[in-house]
Short mmCIF file of all heavy atoms in Angstrom, two decimals:
data_model
loop_
_atom_site.label_atom_id
_atom_site.label_comp_id
_atom_site.label_asym_id
_atom_site.label_seq_id
_atom_site.Cartn_x
_atom_site.Cartn_y
_atom_site.Cartn_z
N GLN B 37 5.53 -0.26 5.94
CA GLN B 37 4.94 1.00 6.40
C GLN B 37 5.61 1.38 7.73
O GLN B 37 5.26 0.63 8.75
CB GLN B 37 3.46 0.87 6.49
CG GLN B 37 2.78 2.26 6.98
CD GLN B 37 1.29 2.19 7.10
OE1 GLN B 37 0.74 1.08 7.28
NE2 GLN B 37 0.66 3.24 7.07
N LEU B 38 6.35 2.37 7.81
CA LEU B 38 6.95 2.83 9.04
C LEU B 38 5.90 3.75 9.74
O LEU B 38 4.93 4.27 9.10
CB LEU B 38 8.24 3.62 8.81
CG LEU B 38 9.38 2.78 8.25
CD1 LEU B 38 10.54 3.68 7.78
CD2 LEU B 38 9.86 1.83 9.31
N PRO B 39 5.98 3.92 11.06
CA PRO B 39 4.98 4.73 11.80
C PRO B 39 4.85 6.14 11.13
O PRO B 39 5.90 6.74 10.81
CB PRO B 39 5.60 4.83 13.19
CG PRO B 39 6.37 3.58 13.34
CD PRO B 39 7.01 3.32 11.92
N GLU B 40 3.63 6.54 10.96
CA GLU B 40 3.30 7.89 10.47
C GLU B 40 3.77 8.09 8.93
O GLU B 40 3.88 9.23 8.46
CB GLU B 40 3.92 9.03 11.24
CG GLU B 40 3.65 8.86 12.71
CD GLU B 40 2.10 8.87 13.05
OE1 GLU B 40 1.37 9.59 12.35
OE2 GLU B 40 1.75 8.13 14.00
N GLU B 41 3.98 6.94 8.29
CA GLU B 41 4.42 7.11 6.84
C GLU B 41 3.53 6.26 5.96
O GLU B 41 2.72 5.39 6.45
CB GLU B 41 5.88 6.67 6.62
CG GLU B 41 6.85 7.62 7.32
CD GLU B 41 8.27 7.24 6.95
OE1 GLU B 41 8.51 6.43 6.03
OE2 GLU B 41 9.17 7.68 7.70
N GLY B 42 3.58 6.42 4.68
CA GLY B 42 2.85 5.62 3.73
C GLY B 42 3.56 4.29 3.47
O GLY B 42 4.64 4.04 4.03
N LEU B 43 3.00 3.51 2.63
CA LEU B 43 3.58 2.29 2.27
C LEU B 43 4.71 2.48 1.28
O LEU B 43 4.62 3.25 0.27
CB LEU B 43 2.57 1.29 1.60
CG LEU B 43 1.61 0.60 2.55
CD1 LEU B 43 0.54 1.60 3.03
CD2 LEU B 43 0.99 -0.58 1.84
N LYS B 44 5.85 1.88 1.45
CA LYS B 44 7.03 1.99 0.71
C LYS B 44 7.34 0.65 0.01
O LYS B 44 7.52 -0.31 0.68
CB LYS B 44 8.26 2.45 1.40
CG LYS B 44 8.09 3.86 2.00
CD LYS B 44 8.33 4.92 0.98
CE LYS B 44 8.02 6.34 1.44
NZ LYS B 44 8.87 6.81 2.57
N PHE B 45 7.39 0.70 -1.36
CA PHE B 45 7.71 -0.51 -2.07
C PHE B 45 9.08 -1.09 -1.68
O PHE B 45 10.09 -0.37 -1.50
CB PHE B 45 7.68 -0.19 -3.50
CG PHE B 45 8.27 -1.22 -4.50
CD1 PHE B 45 7.48 -2.40 -4.75
CD2 PHE B 45 9.54 -1.09 -4.99
CE1 PHE B 45 8.06 -3.34 -5.59
CE2 PHE B 45 10.10 -2.13 -5.87
CZ PHE B 45 9.27 -3.21 -6.13
N MET B 46 9.11 -2.42 -1.59
CA MET B 46 10.38 -3.06 -1.29
C MET B 46 10.83 -3.97 -2.43
O MET B 46 11.92 -3.79 -2.95
CB MET B 46 10.28 -3.89 0.00
CG MET B 46 9.91 -3.14 1.27
SD MET B 46 9.86 -4.19 2.71
CE MET B 46 11.62 -4.45 3.00
N VAL B 47 9.98 -4.85 -2.80
CA VAL B 47 10.43 -5.82 -3.78
C VAL B 47 9.17 -6.43 -4.49
O VAL B 47 8.11 -6.51 -4.01
CB VAL B 47 11.24 -7.01 -3.12
CG1 VAL B 47 10.40 -7.73 -2.09
CG2 VAL B 47 11.82 -7.97 -4.12
N TYR B 48 9.43 -6.86 -5.79
CA TYR B 48 8.42 -7.40 -6.65
C TYR B 48 9.01 -8.77 -7.11
O TYR B 48 10.04 -8.79 -7.65
CB TYR B 48 8.13 -6.39 -7.77
CG TYR B 48 7.35 -7.05 -8.98
CD1 TYR B 48 6.33 -7.98 -8.85
CD2 TYR B 48 7.75 -6.58 -10.25
CE1 TYR B 48 5.74 -8.50 -9.92
CE2 TYR B 48 7.10 -7.06 -11.40
CZ TYR B 48 6.14 -8.06 -11.23
OH TYR B 48 5.42 -8.51 -12.29
N LEU B 49 8.19 -9.79 -6.93
CA LEU B 49 8.66 -11.10 -7.28
C LEU B 49 7.63 -11.84 -8.12
O LEU B 49 6.40 -11.60 -7.89
CB LEU B 49 8.93 -12.01 -6.08
CG LEU B 49 9.83 -11.42 -4.95
CD1 LEU B 49 8.94 -11.04 -3.77
CD2 LEU B 49 10.80 -12.49 -4.52
N GLN B 50 8.08 -12.61 -8.98
CA GLN B 50 7.16 -13.59 -9.67
C GLN B 50 7.79 -15.04 -9.22
O GLN B 50 8.84 -15.09 -8.69
CB GLN B 50 7.16 -13.48 -11.18
CG GLN B 50 6.47 -12.18 -11.58
CD GLN B 50 6.43 -12.06 -13.11
OE1 GLN B 50 6.45 -13.08 -13.88
NE2 GLN B 50 6.39 -10.79 -13.60
N LYS B 51 7.09 -16.08 -9.52
CA LYS B 51 7.51 -17.34 -9.07
C LYS B 51 8.99 -17.56 -9.47
O LYS B 51 9.39 -17.53 -10.61
CB LYS B 51 6.67 -18.44 -9.76
CG LYS B 51 5.30 -18.66 -9.14
CD LYS B 51 5.36 -19.33 -7.80
CE LYS B 51 4.03 -19.65 -7.29
NZ LYS B 51 4.09 -20.27 -5.91
N GLU B 52 9.76 -17.86 -8.43
CA GLU B 52 11.22 -18.15 -8.54
C GLU B 52 12.06 -17.02 -9.07
O GLU B 52 13.25 -17.17 -9.23
CB GLU B 52 11.39 -19.42 -9.38
CG GLU B 52 10.71 -20.63 -8.81
CD GLU B 52 11.04 -21.95 -9.59
OE1 GLU B 52 10.35 -22.15 -10.63
OE2 GLU B 52 12.03 -22.57 -9.19
N ASN B 53 11.53 -15.81 -9.25
CA ASN B 53 12.27 -14.71 -9.78
C ASN B 53 12.08 -13.46 -9.00
O ASN B 53 10.90 -13.13 -8.69
CB ASN B 53 11.98 -14.47 -11.32
CG ASN B 53 12.43 -15.58 -12.18
OD1 ASN B 53 13.64 -15.84 -12.21
ND2 ASN B 53 11.50 -16.15 -12.90
N ILE B 54 13.14 -12.74 -8.76
CA ILE B 54 13.01 -11.38 -8.27
C ILE B 54 13.05 -10.46 -9.51
O ILE B 54 13.96 -10.43 -10.26
CB ILE B 54 14.21 -11.03 -7.34
CG1 ILE B 54 14.17 -11.92 -6.07
CG2 ILE B 54 14.12 -9.53 -6.94
CD1 ILE B 54 15.40 -11.79 -5.22
N ILE B 55 11.93 -9.70 -9.64
CA ILE B 55 11.82 -8.81 -10.75
C ILE B 55 12.42 -7.43 -10.47
O ILE B 55 13.01 -6.84 -11.38
CB ILE B 55 10.35 -8.73 -11.27
CG1 ILE B 55 9.73 -10.08 -11.42
CG2 ILE B 55 10.28 -7.87 -12.52
CD1 ILE B 55 10.44 -10.98 -12.45
N ASP B 56 12.08 -6.94 -9.35
CA ASP B 56 12.51 -5.62 -8.95
C ASP B 56 12.73 -5.56 -7.44
O ASP B 56 11.77 -5.74 -6.71
CB ASP B 56 11.45 -4.56 -9.44
CG ASP B 56 11.85 -3.13 -9.20
OD1 ASP B 56 12.80 -2.90 -8.39
OD2 ASP B 56 11.19 -2.24 -9.77
N GLU B 57 13.90 -5.28 -7.07
CA GLU B 57 14.21 -5.18 -5.63
C GLU B 57 14.78 -3.83 -5.32
O GLU B 57 15.58 -3.66 -4.36
CB GLU B 57 15.13 -6.31 -5.13
CG GLU B 57 16.43 -6.40 -5.86
CD GLU B 57 17.35 -7.49 -5.39
OE1 GLU B 57 16.97 -8.17 -4.33
OE2 GLU B 57 18.30 -7.82 -6.05
N SER B 58 14.39 -2.82 -6.10
CA SER B 58 15.00 -1.53 -5.92
C SER B 58 14.66 -0.85 -4.59
O SER B 58 15.32 0.11 -4.13
CB SER B 58 14.50 -0.55 -7.05
OG SER B 58 13.06 -0.50 -7.11
N GLY B 59 13.54 -1.33 -3.92
CA GLY B 59 13.24 -0.70 -2.62
C GLY B 59 13.72 -1.47 -1.44
O GLY B 59 13.48 -1.09 -0.28
N MET B 60 14.51 -2.51 -1.67
CA MET B 60 14.99 -3.30 -0.55
C MET B 60 16.29 -2.69 -0.01
O MET B 60 17.18 -2.33 -0.81
CB MET B 60 15.30 -4.67 -1.06
CG MET B 60 14.15 -5.59 -1.29
SD MET B 60 13.51 -6.35 0.19
CE MET B 60 14.49 -7.86 0.03
N PRO B 61 16.45 -2.56 1.33
CA PRO B 61 17.71 -2.21 1.92
C PRO B 61 18.79 -3.16 1.32
O PRO B 61 18.53 -4.36 1.15
CB PRO B 61 17.46 -2.30 3.35
CG PRO B 61 16.06 -2.21 3.52
CD PRO B 61 15.44 -2.81 2.35
N LYS B 62 20.00 -2.67 1.13
CA LYS B 62 21.02 -3.44 0.52
C LYS B 62 21.56 -4.59 1.33
O LYS B 62 22.03 -5.59 0.87
CB LYS B 62 22.22 -2.52 0.15
CG LYS B 62 21.91 -1.53 -0.93
CD LYS B 62 21.70 -2.15 -2.28
CE LYS B 62 21.54 -1.20 -3.39
NZ LYS B 62 20.18 -0.65 -3.46
N GLU B 63 21.45 -4.40 2.69
CA GLU B 63 21.97 -5.49 3.56
C GLU B 63 20.87 -6.02 4.48
O GLU B 63 19.86 -5.29 4.77
CB GLU B 63 23.06 -4.82 4.46
CG GLU B 63 24.25 -4.36 3.62
CD GLU B 63 25.33 -3.73 4.59
OE1 GLU B 63 25.05 -3.47 5.68
OE2 GLU B 63 26.43 -3.47 4.03
N ARG B 64 20.95 -7.15 4.87
CA ARG B 64 20.12 -7.86 5.87
C ARG B 64 18.78 -8.27 5.32
O ARG B 64 18.12 -9.11 5.98
CB ARG B 64 19.90 -7.03 7.17
CG ARG B 64 21.25 -6.57 7.80
CD ARG B 64 20.96 -5.92 9.18
NE ARG B 64 20.27 -4.68 8.98
CZ ARG B 64 18.99 -4.52 9.39
NH1 ARG B 64 18.27 -5.46 9.86
NH2 ARG B 64 18.39 -3.34 9.23
N PHE B 65 18.27 -7.69 4.26
CA PHE B 65 16.96 -8.03 3.78
C PHE B 65 17.07 -8.90 2.51
O PHE B 65 17.91 -8.66 1.65
CB PHE B 65 16.20 -6.74 3.37
CG PHE B 65 15.70 -6.00 4.52
CD1 PHE B 65 16.56 -5.28 5.41
CD2 PHE B 65 14.26 -5.92 4.80
CE1 PHE B 65 16.06 -4.52 6.47
CE2 PHE B 65 13.84 -5.20 5.92
CZ PHE B 65 14.73 -4.49 6.75
N SER B 66 16.18 -9.96 2.46
CA SER B 66 16.14 -10.75 1.27
C SER B 66 14.69 -11.23 1.12
O SER B 66 13.95 -11.25 2.07
CB SER B 66 17.06 -11.90 1.38
OG SER B 66 16.77 -12.76 2.39
N ALA B 67 14.36 -11.67 -0.11
CA ALA B 67 13.02 -12.15 -0.40
C ALA B 67 13.13 -13.23 -1.37
O ALA B 67 13.98 -13.26 -2.21
CB ALA B 67 12.12 -10.96 -0.88
N GLU B 68 12.13 -14.11 -1.30
CA GLU B 68 12.05 -15.16 -2.26
C GLU B 68 10.59 -15.60 -2.49
O GLU B 68 9.65 -15.32 -1.68
CB GLU B 68 12.83 -16.40 -1.77
CG GLU B 68 12.37 -17.04 -0.51
CD GLU B 68 13.08 -18.28 -0.11
OE1 GLU B 68 14.13 -18.58 -0.75
OE2 GLU B 68 12.60 -18.92 0.85
N PHE B 69 10.34 -16.19 -3.60
CA PHE B 69 9.00 -16.69 -3.97
C PHE B 69 9.21 -17.99 -4.67
O PHE B 69 9.31 -18.04 -5.87
CB PHE B 69 8.26 -15.69 -4.82
CG PHE B 69 6.81 -15.94 -5.03
CD1 PHE B 69 6.16 -16.89 -4.23
CD2 PHE B 69 6.08 -15.31 -6.04
CE1 PHE B 69 4.77 -17.17 -4.55
CE2 PHE B 69 4.78 -15.60 -6.28
CZ PHE B 69 4.13 -16.50 -5.54
N PRO B 70 9.34 -19.07 -3.90
CA PRO B 70 9.68 -20.29 -4.55
C PRO B 70 8.59 -20.90 -5.39
O PRO B 70 7.42 -20.48 -5.27
CB PRO B 70 9.98 -21.22 -3.27
CG PRO B 70 9.18 -20.64 -2.18
CD PRO B 70 9.19 -19.14 -2.43
N LYS B 71 8.93 -21.96 -6.11
CA LYS B 71 7.93 -22.59 -7.01
C LYS B 71 6.73 -23.08 -6.16
O LYS B 71 5.61 -23.04 -6.68
CB LYS B 71 8.62 -23.67 -7.80
CG LYS B 71 7.70 -24.38 -8.81
CD LYS B 71 8.51 -25.41 -9.54
CE LYS B 71 7.70 -26.04 -10.61
NZ LYS B 71 8.40 -27.12 -11.32
N GLU B 72 7.03 -23.68 -5.04
CA GLU B 72 6.05 -24.15 -4.14
C GLU B 72 6.10 -23.43 -2.80
O GLU B 72 7.10 -23.15 -2.28
CB GLU B 72 6.21 -25.68 -3.94
CG GLU B 72 6.17 -26.52 -5.14
CD GLU B 72 4.77 -26.55 -5.76
OE1 GLU B 72 3.76 -26.34 -5.03
OE2 GLU B 72 4.67 -26.87 -6.97
N GLY B 73 4.99 -23.03 -2.28
CA GLY B 73 5.01 -22.41 -0.96
C GLY B 73 4.86 -20.91 -1.03
O GLY B 73 4.83 -20.26 -2.10
N PRO B 74 4.82 -20.28 0.14
CA PRO B 74 4.64 -18.83 0.22
C PRO B 74 5.87 -18.10 -0.14
O PRO B 74 7.03 -18.62 -0.23
CB PRO B 74 4.28 -18.63 1.73
CG PRO B 74 5.06 -19.69 2.46
CD PRO B 74 5.03 -20.84 1.48
N SER B 75 5.68 -16.79 -0.37
CA SER B 75 6.78 -15.88 -0.47
C SER B 75 7.24 -15.56 0.92
O SER B 75 6.53 -15.50 1.90
CB SER B 75 6.32 -14.59 -1.12
OG SER B 75 7.38 -13.63 -1.19
N ILE B 76 8.62 -15.41 1.05
CA ILE B 76 9.18 -15.09 2.35
C ILE B 76 9.99 -13.86 2.26
O ILE B 76 10.79 -13.66 1.31
CB ILE B 76 10.17 -16.27 2.74
CG1 ILE B 76 9.55 -17.63 2.69
CG2 ILE B 76 10.85 -16.00 4.16
CD1 ILE B 76 8.57 -17.92 3.84
N LEU B 77 9.78 -13.00 3.21
CA LEU B 77 10.58 -11.79 3.38
C LEU B 77 11.44 -12.05 4.65
O LEU B 77 10.93 -12.33 5.76
CB LEU B 77 9.77 -10.54 3.57
CG LEU B 77 10.60 -9.24 3.80
CD1 LEU B 77 11.46 -8.83 2.53
CD2 LEU B 77 9.69 -8.12 4.22
N ARG B 78 12.73 -12.04 4.50
CA ARG B 78 13.69 -12.46 5.59
C ARG B 78 14.55 -11.21 6.00
O ARG B 78 15.06 -10.49 5.14
CB ARG B 78 14.58 -13.54 5.08
CG ARG B 78 15.55 -14.09 6.13
CD ARG B 78 16.45 -15.13 5.48
NE ARG B 78 17.43 -15.68 6.38
CZ ARG B 78 18.58 -16.22 5.99
NH1 ARG B 78 18.85 -16.34 4.69
NH2 ARG B 78 19.46 -16.69 6.83
N ILE B 79 14.52 -10.94 7.26
CA ILE B 79 15.37 -9.84 7.70
C ILE B 79 16.29 -10.42 8.75
O ILE B 79 15.91 -10.95 9.79
CB ILE B 79 14.48 -8.78 8.45
CG1 ILE B 79 13.29 -8.36 7.57
CG2 ILE B 79 15.35 -7.54 8.79
CD1 ILE B 79 12.32 -7.42 8.25
N GLN B 80 17.64 -10.30 8.46
CA GLN B 80 18.62 -10.85 9.37
C GLN B 80 19.12 -9.75 10.27
O GLN B 80 19.09 -8.57 9.94
CB GLN B 80 19.80 -11.39 8.54
CG GLN B 80 19.42 -12.54 7.64
CD GLN B 80 20.61 -12.99 6.82
OE1 GLN B 80 21.05 -12.41 5.89
NE2 GLN B 80 21.26 -14.13 7.16
N GLN B 81 19.49 -10.20 11.48
CA GLN B 81 20.10 -9.28 12.43
C GLN B 81 19.23 -7.99 12.66
O GLN B 81 19.76 -6.89 12.38
CB GLN B 81 21.50 -8.91 12.11
CG GLN B 81 22.41 -10.20 11.97
CD GLN B 81 23.81 -9.84 11.43
OE1 GLN B 81 24.00 -8.86 10.74
NE2 GLN B 81 24.80 -10.64 11.86
N VAL B 82 18.05 -8.20 13.02
CA VAL B 82 17.06 -7.09 13.05
C VAL B 82 17.56 -5.95 14.04
O VAL B 82 18.26 -6.28 15.03
CB VAL B 82 15.70 -7.55 13.48
CG1 VAL B 82 15.06 -8.45 12.42
CG2 VAL B 82 15.60 -8.17 14.86
#
Side-chain angles (χ1 to χ4, degrees):
Chain B
Q37 185 183 19
L38 295 170
E40 308 303 323
E41 294 189 13
L43 283 76
K44 295 281 173 63
F45 167 77
M46 299 181 75
V47 61
Y48 163 39
L49 310 103
Q50 293 182 26
K51 281 288 187 181
E52 299 186 272
N53 289 303
I54 297 174
I55 307 302
D56 183 344
E57 55 181 350
S58 58
M60 287 275 272
K62 294 290 185 282
E63 297 178 349
R64 303 188 297 108
F65 285 73
S66 62
E68 63 177 8
F69 188 17
K71 186 176 180 181
E72 301 291 337
S75 175
I76 307 285
L77 179 67
R78 182 183 178 204
I79 312 172
Q80 295 178 287
Q81 299 175 333
V82 296

